[in-house]
Amino acid sequence: MLTRPTHLSIVKNNRSLSLSLSLSLSFRRRSMSTETRSPGPLLFRRRTNSETKNLASVSSSLLPAFGTVVGDGYSQLNKYVIAPYDRRYRWWQTFLVMLVIYSAWSSPFELAFKKAASGPLMTVDVVVDAFFAVDIVLTFFVAYLDLSTYLLVDDHKKIAARYIAKLWFPMDVASTLPFQFIYRIFTGKMHSDQVFGFLNLLRLWRLRRVSELFSRLEKDTRFSYFWTRYCKLICVTLFAVHSAGCFYYWLATHHKAKDDTWIGSQVHHFEEKSIWLGYVYSMYWSIVTLTTVGYGDLHAENTGEKIFNIFYMLFNIGLTAYLIGNMTNLIVHSAFRTFAMRDAINEILRYATKNRIPEGYKEQMLAHMQLKFKTAELQQEEVLQVLPKAIRSSIAQHLFLNTVVKTYLFKGVTEDFTVQLVSEMKAEYFPPKVDIIIQNEVPTDFYIIVSGAVDVLIYKNGLEQQLMTLGPTDMAGETGVFFNIPQLFTMRSKRLSQVIRISHQRFKQMVQQHNQDGKTILSNFVQYLKGLKQEVLDEIPFLTDLLGDLTIEQTTSEEDHNYEASILSNNVDTNIEGIPVSFIPLASTFPTRVVIHGHPPNEKSMEGKNLGKLVHLPDSIEDLLKLAEKKFGKKGSTILMEDGSQVEDIGALRENDHLFIF
């Protein structure tokens, strides 16, 4: 425990304002002004009833060009032009995806089973094709995004030219035309040639819509990425099984000797059987082959089937690798943080064992590491570090501004100072029984308790004693920061606690920019010291003397302009001979401070020590001599520096100079 008296000081006024805050405020003003002057939004995006849901969907917003204003309406689009992210158009696209799923099933099925193609499914196919024909027409009225400007293009000619010039238009038309139905209209009879079955496979071009849907869902945070990806893998597998089974059945139906086929050897006259019986056999063979079970009851009987089996099994190798790889990535990704936590804990255990760390410290290390992973989503720095400073500042104010303004130290300060202060604070969590501050450590930060409780402890004669308990809005470590001395007490979390901290140096820089706020902070700090419990004051002997001197100085210094100036202009007796300049934490905002002695530089004081008194440098040599006479009780006429040089010009003196007056 240090009992050396010290002084209070406050930072020197700096005329430059905080660059980051001014830039942020000017940016906001320009943004507001731009929104006011803007004739209308240049870029539009889908809006839902819940803004939160809209923000959660990454796919619902376009990346705008710099300076582009994002609006809520579509009033600026040309007439009869649809915004691509209009809610109704989105629902239409989702409905078409449902029809695509039907097309993906029916196209291979109708190729294999001709009876189905000429039966009820033909009517369904015509209706489905009609919906996609409507979509082709709508596409000529849907605005598109210009990748060079990231603005929506709503010119009808440009929209039509872009759609026709790309592969999409001819493929959309080819996949939509009902060739067999058209042939029936013009000829009046059905045609069962296989060419129509293969033309129907052009409908598989529509599968790109399903791929786009899954891509949007994977980016949409409203949906679980794991289950979205899982459903996509299932769909890929089912489509592969369905298509392979249908093609394999088609091979059997087109072989000359029907009994010399994979299904004909088991089911005689299978073509005359039910369509669904053949479909079940096809799916059974496809799944057994895909899973490499190979019961042997259904196997290739001719050369064509064997060649098809070869390519299908080679395809299965790639498909299986794709499925296993994706599932492995999903599982490993979900357990990644668990693996990282286990590795970090093992590293701590190895370090503690190698260096023979005491059991108590090792438990604190493990508790802190576990809490770090458990509350990773609550850590402000990790979550917000990728965001712009203005957004981080706004979020920090939302979370901690009310807590900061309720602390005793910052009551009465201006809003500008509070905003800057909160923006610079860092949030941390501490598990129970973990030291936040250790007695006699260097005061680099001070803390504000947001939630939880912190015990104030002191070690005396090797024993630990509890002085008091701090709760929300209380502060820890500020005494060491203000006096720039090693921390007086140990601060230990009593339960799970969240604190916000600010660096000593950053705090000094901010106070330099707000002189009046610095005085208010100093006044609050002195009032806090005066209100400390006696058992706490007993542990800080120099503080009692300092507060007593402050009271006397406040009473006698009527010429001072305010209470804070009287605090700093007190000439407290202090044993500060030999204290380096670095000991003073904050530069003064008031006249230069010097240390005066009432004896020549080569003599000792009566007590055998070089005692000095810290005072504010007066305006003249005469006033300095009068001040020395008042302090030492004897009149002096000579002022010397430590090296013996005589002082003739008071303006030549600097901060913390030692003056010997006799």
Side-chain angles (χ1 to χ4, degrees):
M1 172 62 63
L2 295 179
T3 60
R4 178 173 53 189
T6 183
H7 62 279
L8 296 173
S9 60
I10 191 167
V11 295
K12 188 177 182 179
N13 185 30
N14 191 330
R15 296 180 180 178
S16 62
L17 296 176
S18 171
L19 179 59
S20 61
L21 182 62
S22 63
L23 289 177
S24 175
L25 292 176
S26 63
F27 174 77
R28 291 178 183 176
R29 295 189 190 101
R30 288 198 300 269
S31 299
M32 294 174 63
S33 176
T34 303
E35 290 182 353
T36 303
R37 296 192 303 266
S38 176
L42 301 178
L43 181 66
F44 304 93
R45 59 174 180 166
R46 173 174 61 88
R47 290 289 185 179
T48 63
N49 292 333
S50 173
E51 181 67 19
T52 303
K53 291 183 179 180
N54 184 40
L55 294 176
S57 176
V58 178
S59 62
S60 66
S61 300
L62 296 173
L63 177 63
F66 289 113
T68 300
V69 180
V70 180
D72 292 331
Y74 307 107
S75 58
Q76 297 300 314
L77 292 178
N78 287 336
K79 192 175 182 180
Y80 304 120
V81 174
I82 303 172
Y85 294 100
D86 184 271
R87 180 170 56 87
R88 293 165 295 181
Y89 184 70
R90 284 285 192 174
W91 279 111
W92 169 257
Q93 293 292 323
T94 304
F95 171 70
L96 291 182
V97 169
M98 301 296 104
L99 300 183
V100 169
I101 295 176
Y102 166 78
S103 298
W105 173 83
S106 64
S107 297
F109 185 80
E110 292 174 0
L111 175 67
F113 304 95
K114 293 183 292 183
K115 296 180 182 179
S118 58
L121 289 183
M122 176 179 289
T123 304
V124 179
D125 291 340
V126 172
V127 174
V128 171
D129 291 338
F131 280 110
F132 283 99
V134 172
D135 184 68
I136 292 176
V137 176
L138 284 178
T139 305
F140 285 95
F141 299 92
V142 177
Y144 69 91
L145 181 69
D146 187 348
L147 296 180
S148 61
T149 62
Y150 277 96
L151 301 177
L152 290 179
V153 177
D154 57 358
D155 183 81
H156 288 282
K157 294 182 179 180
K158 292 182 179 180
I159 294 174
R162 175 177 178 270
Y163 183 42
I164 295 176
K166 287 193 173 185
L167 179 64
W168 291 359
F169 176 70
M171 290 300 297
D172 285 346
V173 172
S175 62
T176 302
L177 290 176
F179 296 101
Q180 193 169 2
F181 184 75
I182 295 175
Y183 179 83
R184 183 178 181 179
I185 292 177
F186 283 98
T187 63
K189 55 183 178 180
M190 293 295 299
H191 197 287
S192 59
D193 193 82
Q194 291 300 316
V195 66
F196 292 110
F198 284 103
L199 287 175
N200 286 339
L201 293 180
L202 291 174
R203 297 170 182 168
L204 298 180
W205 164 256
R206 302 168 182 171
L207 286 173
R208 63 182 176 83
R209 297 177 183 269
V210 180
S211 178
E212 294 171 356
L213 174 64
F214 278 111
S215 297
R216 291 198 301 268
L217 294 179
E218 288 172 359
K219 297 181 180 69
D220 197 329
T221 56
R222 294 173 296 177
F223 301 94
S224 169
Y225 178 81
F226 176 87
W227 290 110
T228 301
R229 194 73 178 177
Y230 184 71
C231 292
K232 180 179 180 179
L233 296 177
I234 292 178
C235 291
V236 170
T237 304
L238 292 178
F239 177 73
V241 169
H242 171 73
S243 299
C246 290
F247 280 117
Y248 203 46
Y249 187 87
W250 180 83
L251 287 176
T253 58
H254 287 77
H255 195 267
K256 294 180 180 180
K258 298 298 188 290
D259 291 339
D260 190 22
T261 59
W262 65 274
I263 188 173
S265 61
Q266 300 292 327
V267 182
H268 298 288
H269 306 291
F270 65 90
E271 288 184 302
E272 301 175 0
K273 304 293 184 180
S274 170
I275 292 176
W276 301 110
L277 177 65
Y279 184 69
V280 170
Y281 268 79
S282 299
M283 293 300 101
Y284 172 75
W285 168 86
S286 183
I287 293 175
V288 168
T289 305
L290 175 65
T291 57
T292 67
V293 175
Y295 291 117
D297 50 347
L298 296 176
H299 56 274
E301 294 285 350
N302 55 67
T303 304
E305 293 175 352
K306 291 178 181 179
I307 294 175
F308 181 82
N309 277 345
I310 290 173
F311 284 101
Y312 182 52
M313 285 185 285
L314 291 176
F315 169 78
N316 286 343
I317 294 175
L319 179 61
T320 303
Y322 171 76
L323 296 176
I324 294 176
N326 276 271
M327 291 303 300
T328 302
N329 286 335
L330 291 176
I331 295 174
V332 171
H333 177 75
S334 62
F336 174 77
R337 292 184 62 243
T338 301
F339 293 148
M341 183 184 71
R342 290 173 61 90
D343 292 341
I345 290 177
N346 288 333
E347 289 293 333
I348 289 177
L349 293 175
R350 283 194 292 268
Y351 176 85
T353 302
K354 180 179 179 180
N355 296 277
R356 300 179 181 179
I357 302 297
E359 192 67 24
Y361 292 141
K362 183 170 68 174
E363 291 179 357
Q364 290 188 23
M365 294 166 64
L366 292 175
H368 182 77
M369 184 59 63
Q370 292 175 355
L371 181 66
K372 176 183 177 180
F373 283 95
K374 290 179 180 179
T375 62
E377 66 278 5
L378 303 177
Q379 296 295 322
Q380 301 303 312
E381 285 304 300
E382 287 78 355
V383 175
L384 304 178
Q385 62 183 352
V386 297
L387 298 177
K389 182 175 177 60
I391 298 179
R392 296 199 307 269
S393 299
S394 299
I395 295 175
Q397 293 171 36
H398 172 73
L399 295 175
F400 306 120
L401 184 61
N402 290 335
T403 301
V404 172
V405 297
K406 291 179 181 179
T407 58
Y408 79 87
L409 192 62
F410 303 113
K411 289 182 177 179
V413 299
T414 62
E415 183 179 358
D416 289 344
F417 180 82
T418 308
V419 169
Q420 293 185 47
L421 183 70
V422 173
S423 301
E424 296 296 332
M425 287 185 164
K426 313 299 181 184
E428 294 180 346
Y429 282 85
F430 289 91
K433 307 300 181 182
V434 172
D435 292 339
I436 301 175
I437 297 175
I438 300 178
Q439 185 177 349
N440 290 327
E441 74 174 0
V442 178
T444 57
D445 306 276
F446 63 86
Y447 301 81
I448 298 176
I449 302 171
V450 178
S451 62
V454 175
D455 288 333
V456 180
L457 309 173
I458 189 172
Y459 291 91
K460 295 181 64 176
N461 301 324
L463 299 177
E464 184 179 276
Q465 299 180 8
Q466 178 180 346
L467 293 179
M468 57 180 171
T469 299
L470 303 178
T473 71
D474 287 336
M475 300 187 65
E478 76 281 12
T479 304
V481 169
F482 269 83
F483 288 123
N484 198 28
I485 60 176
Q487 293 290 359
L488 302 172
F489 309 109
T490 293
M491 308 289 181
R492 180 177 300 164
S493 58
K494 192 172 184 179
R495 54 179 179 268
L496 177 62
S497 302
Q498 183 187 20
V499 301
I500 47 179
R501 63 177 174 85
I502 186 169
S503 167
H504 172 197
Q505 295 298 328
R506 188 68 190 106
F507 178 69
K508 179 178 73 173
Q509 294 173 5
M510 285 191 295
V511 178
Q512 285 176 344
Q513 302 160 11
H514 299 80
N515 184 26
Q516 190 61 40
D517 289 327
K519 297 177 182 179
T520 302
I521 292 173
L522 185 57
S523 175
N524 294 337
F525 181 63
V526 172
Q527 293 298 325
Y528 167 76
L529 295 180
K530 291 182 178 181
L532 288 176
K533 296 181 180 180
Q534 187 60 41
E535 54 266 27
V536 178
L537 293 175
D538 292 342
E539 301 299 332
I540 319 175
F542 74 85
L543 191 57
T544 303
D545 299 335
L546 178 62
L547 292 176
D549 191 88
L550 288 174
T551 303
I552 296 174
E553 195 67 30
Q554 180 183 356
T555 304
T556 58
S557 300
E558 296 295 335
E559 71 280 0
D560 292 336
H561 297 290
N562 52 57
Y563 174 61
E564 291 77 18
S566 70
I567 295 173
L568 287 181
S569 64
N570 77 87
N571 301 313
V572 185
D573 294 344
T574 54
N575 293 330
I576 58 174
E577 180 75 22
I579 297 177
V581 176
S582 61
F583 177 81
I584 301 174
L586 308 171
S588 175
T589 60
F590 295 93
T592 304
R593 293 166 299 181
V594 294
V595 181
I596 60 175
H597 304 265
H599 55 83
N602 57 352
E603 292 184 5
K604 297 286 185 179
S605 64
M606 296 177 58
E607 291 80 0
K609 298 181 181 179
N610 290 330
L611 297 179
K613 297 181 183 294
L614 180 67
V615 299
H616 284 155
L617 188 65
D619 296 331
S620 63
I621 295 291
E622 292 75 12
D623 292 339
L624 179 59
L625 293 175
K626 292 180 181 179
L627 179 61
E629 181 180 2
K630 176 182 177 182
K631 292 297 179 182
F632 299 114
K634 56 182 180 180
K635 186 175 182 179
S637 59
T638 303
I639 305 176
L640 298 180
M641 301 289 289
E642 286 184 284
D643 57 2
S645 58
Q646 185 171 356
V647 177
E648 295 183 352
D649 183 6
I650 199 168
L653 298 177
R654 298 181 179 179
E655 181 79 14
N656 232 36
D657 279 343
H658 287 259
L659 306 179
F660 296 85
I661 304 174
F662 55 94

